[in-house]
Amino acid sequence: MTKIACCQFAPHLGRVRSNVDESIDHFHKAVDEGARIVVFPELTSSGYAFSNSGEAQAASEQIDGYAVSSWKQAADERTAVIVAGFCEANEHERPYNSAAVLVPGQDPVIYRKAHLWDAERTIFTPGDGAPPVIDTEHGRIAVVICYDLEFPEWIRIPALGGADLICAPVNWPRVPRPTNERPGEVVRAQAQASMNRVAIAACDRAGAERGIDWTSASVIVDANGWPIDMANLDQNLNQIVIADIDLSESRNKKLSLFSDVLADRRTDLYFAPADYLTQAALRKDNQQIQR
């Protein structure tokens, strides 16, 4: 079993050093509770609700800046993994919405958010690399960011790459939902975990920022798609969501004696839209010839 923690808290817009310092305080508390992998929200270092790209640029840092360097030092000192979002400087364009994976004794691994939500595309440059899968002593860890979780193709990539755990720094804006229903983002994280038989740890943020109320729905889901621990949705507060997960379950893709979520894929039948239309046209031509 591996103890995984999501440290849900409220970064303040533009206050990089104080945000990073606060995240490290939460990290120490999680490790003191036994956590070996600790996930933080999207844009932990900078806050989220930038009004324009220039404002984001002012809160951005290079990979060797204060945020990633401080997280690396903390990860090395406590021999625990950190996954955290930060605003990454981009010399010639808009900054990146990035996440750093700090594995003790290893160089930082950086992932840049590929699927930008709503007005994010006016603030950030989209990443163009697939989610990395990193070997650790606990298992193979992958990372995506927030809206990336909405795309089945994107989560299937690290699943096929052998990920045991997908860590997702997220900022989920609060939207209306029916009484007694879980947030849709949580339901979709459960679905992605179940469809790929891979554990997912999604760390949301707390508080409010420039009129945005956050869902504050951090959740840790096992490979069967069930939440093992989730933040208290009635309290938009700092919380540490923590759970013991058997990451080896993610390596068993079988649903039954004969059914396997990866081996049963019919890639010979999966076409891109243009290919599908071509195949449909060929079938129609063949039918007309047979007549």
Side-chain angles (χ1 to χ4, degrees), residues 52-271:
N52 56 58
S53 188
E55 191 175 41
Q57 190 70 45
S60 68
E61 290 189 326
Q62 299 289 345
I63 295 170
D64 59 356
Y66 185 77
V68 176
S69 297
S70 299
W71 290 329
K72 174 171 171 47
Q73 181 178 348
D76 287 344
E77 287 176 353
R78 298 302 302 269
T79 61
V81 178
I82 293 176
V83 182
F86 73 107
C87 188
E88 182 189 351
N90 184 357
E91 185 176 354
H92 301 296
E93 298 182 67
R94 299 169 180 146
Y96 296 105
N97 182 339
S98 297
V101 182
L102 295 311
V103 178
Q106 298 185 25
D107 291 334
V109 175
I110 307 299
Y111 168 73
R112 295 164 176 166
K113 187 175 183 180
H115 302 90
L116 298 180
W117 166 256
D118 197 41
E120 285 179 20
R121 66 202 70 203
T122 70
I123 306 293
F124 299 105
T125 297
D128 57 7
V133 178
I134 304 117
D135 287 313
T136 77
E137 64 174 301
H138 311 292
R140 306 190 78 193
I141 298 174
V143 59
V144 300
I145 300 173
C146 204
Y147 191 38
D148 288 328
L149 278 171
E150 308 284 335
F151 296 85
E153 305 93 334
W154 208 240
I155 305 307
R156 182 56 54 91
I157 290 171
L160 288 169
D164 300 317
L165 172 69
I166 296 176
C167 298
V170 305
N171 282 182
W172 286 333
R174 185 183 298 274
V175 297
R177 63 179 185 269
T179 303
N180 298 325
E181 286 288 352
R182 289 176 179 157
E185 295 89 347
V186 171
V187 174
R188 290 189 283 277
Q190 290 182 244
Q192 294 281 31
S194 177
M195 287 187 295
N196 292 285
R197 285 204 48 78
V198 61
I200 293 177
C203 185
D204 202 1
R205 61 162 291 168
E209 190 177 67
R210 285 186 170 170
I212 303 173
D213 291 317
W214 304 104
T215 305
S216 302
S218 297
V219 64
I220 299 171
V221 184
D222 69 11
N224 295 308
W226 300 118
I228 305 304
D229 195 19
M230 185 166 67
N232 184 336
L233 298 177
D234 295 326
Q235 298 182 17
N236 184 353
L237 300 172
N238 294 356
Q239 300 178 54
I240 295 179
V241 173
I242 195 163
D244 288 308
I245 297 287
D246 182 355
L247 293 180
S248 69
E249 287 188 1
S250 296
R251 298 163 206 165
N252 177 15
K253 302 301 182 182
K254 282 190 171 295
L255 299 173
S256 67
L257 181 61
F258 297 107
S259 296
D260 184 300
V261 296
L262 296 187
D264 289 345
R265 293 178 307 129
R266 289 296 307 275
T267 55
D268 57 316
L269 300 179
Y270 304 157
F271 300 106

